[in-house]
Amino acid sequence: MKILLTGGAGYIGSHVLNLLGQDGHDIVVVDNLSTGRKEALLYGRHEEFNLEETERLEELIKKEKFQACLHFAGSIIVPESVEKPIKYYQNNTQNSLELIRLCEKHGVHNFIFSSTAALYGDSATNGICTEESPLIPINPYGRSKLMTEMMLEDTSKVTNLNYVALRYFNVAGANVDLKVGQCSPNATHLIKIASECATGKRPGMEIFGEDYDTKDGTCVRDYIHVDDLAQAHVDALKFLVTKKESAVLNCGYGHGYSVKEVVETVKRVTGKDFEVKITGRRAGDAGTLISKAGKIREVIGWTPKYDDLDLIVRTAFEWEAKLS
Ligand SMILES: NC(=O)c1ccc[n+]([C@@H]2O[C@H](COP(=O)([O-])OP(=O)(O)OC[C@H]3O[C@@H](n4cnc5c(N)ncnc54)[C@H](O)[C@@H]3O)[C@@H](O)[C@H]2O)c1
């Protein structure tokens, strides 16, 4: 297929690019390298520009006649979104609006969107999120993403555009063959930060809050290996092409680990100790976020292979060590 992939030089986009490239698809990546890296582009042709450049984007979409668009580009740091909301509404909401408008206008009828568990905020009962849980994001990042889902839903009702919104839970680890991994600057992802500590790149790390209503007081999250998540995009693309309908799907394993459990796992798997300080809660963090994980398996036939925290941590650590 001829595919437009935005944000392909970033963490998740590069893993999806790796799979789609191996399958022989003809891919054009639009990425301005604001947080991505050219070295992560293992396949496809790179167009280096900002999605904000609507005229250039339209020219490309019109000329290339893409059959599908996978939209990863965006700003993703929750605490930053609290400080700089406009940046998030601009890069996540406004740029997505233009992209959806242009795809619809020029006949790109299959659209996959990188959505997030942040849409649920603290709304889900006991932190278990089903796709029907109320959508009450508690930070501008989550709101900027929710509006994009709404635009897709409304557009798909009255046009030929079908979409799959994949609501990622906590994405972690690196490609099992270590071809690509996470390089995002200023990453706030727990396993990435703990791996940086284990490789000696950081002297230590903080745990933000131990007074949440969870088993040990620290936040609980559903960690999904990035290669499994990448496969969900391949499965979603097949679904769109064969079924010609839309779906909103959680991407998680259906169980969670606390921050303390993850940090202990990193120390055990890597055999490295490092300093961990407990500090106050961080703005915008929900206590527990775990996916109710059945729908994605039923609807697109996703079968994860790497539901193993030790493996997630090992790949993250080995990638981090390879980078240094
Ligand atoms: N990482 C996670 O845990 C997680 C969880 C839920 C959802 N998501 C979503 O997944 C997507 C990808 O996240 P990631 O972790 O790979 O982030 P990332 O920062 O590694 O990748 C984003 C990529 O998009 C590019 N980009 C950003 N803004 C752009 C613009 N205006 N024009 C062109 N290129 C632009 C960046 O250079 C980068 O290569 C995001 O939309 C994010 O909201 C990520």
Side-chain angles (χ1 to χ4, degrees), residues 77-88 139-141 283:
I77 301 174
V78 170
E80 184 190 50
S81 81
V82 176
E83 302 286 319
K84 297 180 183 168
I86 300 293
K87 172 176 173 180
Y88 281 72
N139 51 58
Y141 168 69

Side-chain angles (χ1 to χ4, degrees), residues 18-159:
N18 180 40
L19 284 191
L20 293 174
Q22 281 172 25
D23 285 350
H25 293 286
D26 182 3
I27 304 159
V28 176
V29 173
V30 173
D31 196 305
N32 65 355
L33 304 181
S34 52
T35 58
R37 294 191 326 151
K38 220 171 167 57
E39 297 85 329
L41 296 167
L42 301 185
Y43 295 93
R45 189 180 95 224
H46 181 204
E47 294 274 343
E48 185 178 339
F49 67 91
N50 194 320
L51 280 180
E52 255 172 36
E53 293 179 49
T54 314
E55 277 177 24
R56 188 159 171 193
L57 184 64
E58 178 154 23
E59 229 170 76
L60 179 76
I61 294 177
K62 210 166 146 183
K63 181 166 136 237
E64 298 287 348
K65 305 200 180 338
F66 297 109
Q67 292 156 287
C69 173
L70 279 71
H71 180 34
F72 299 91
S75 300
I76 71 157
I77 301 174
V78 170
E80 184 190 50
S81 81
V82 176
E83 302 286 319
K84 297 180 183 168
I86 300 293
K87 172 176 173 180
Y88 281 72
Y89 293 121
Q90 197 148 26
N91 201 21
N92 294 352
T93 314
Q94 186 170 317
N95 289 347
S96 296
L97 168 64
E98 287 301 310
L99 180 64
I100 295 164
R101 181 179 72 76
L102 294 174
C103 282
E104 198 281 314
K105 181 173 171 192
H106 296 291
V108 186
H109 291 150
N110 301 301
F111 197 100
I112 299 180
F113 173 57
S114 298
S115 190
T116 167
L119 263 55
Y120 297 114
D122 259 329
S123 72
T125 314
N126 301 322
I128 312 286
C129 310
T130 76
E131 287 81 354
E132 286 70 42
S133 298
L135 301 176
I136 314 175
I138 57 175
N139 51 58
Y141 168 69
R143 289 169 193 258
S144 71
K145 292 293 217 178
L146 174 56
M147 284 190 264
T148 305
E149 273 204 20
M150 289 170 160
M151 296 187 298
L152 284 167
E153 184 185 352
D154 292 340
T155 306
S156 71
K157 283 182 187 156
V158 292
T159 68

Side-chain angles (χ1 to χ4, degrees), residues 180-252:
V180 274
Q182 187 170 18
C183 297
S184 338
N186 311 317
T188 51
H189 302 66
L190 174 63
I191 293 176
K192 166 85 176 163
I193 287 175
S195 300
E196 289 173 354
C197 293
T199 50
K201 291 180 193 173
R202 278 181 194 250
M205 58 175 286
E206 291 172 309
I207 291 181
F208 300 104
E210 59 172 351
D211 58 348
Y212 288 93
D213 185 17
T214 59
K215 48 192 160 186
D216 60 20
T218 62
C219 291
V220 171
R221 294 289 183 272
D222 187 338
Y223 294 90
I224 172 175
H225 189 273
V226 64
D227 278 342
D228 273 340
L229 180 68
Q231 183 60 43
H233 293 75
V234 175
D235 297 339
L237 190 57
K238 281 192 193 128
F239 166 83
L240 280 170
V241 171
T242 53
K243 301 278 183 194
K244 300 193 178 358
E245 49 185 82
S246 298
V248 174
L249 304 168
N250 282 347
C251 283

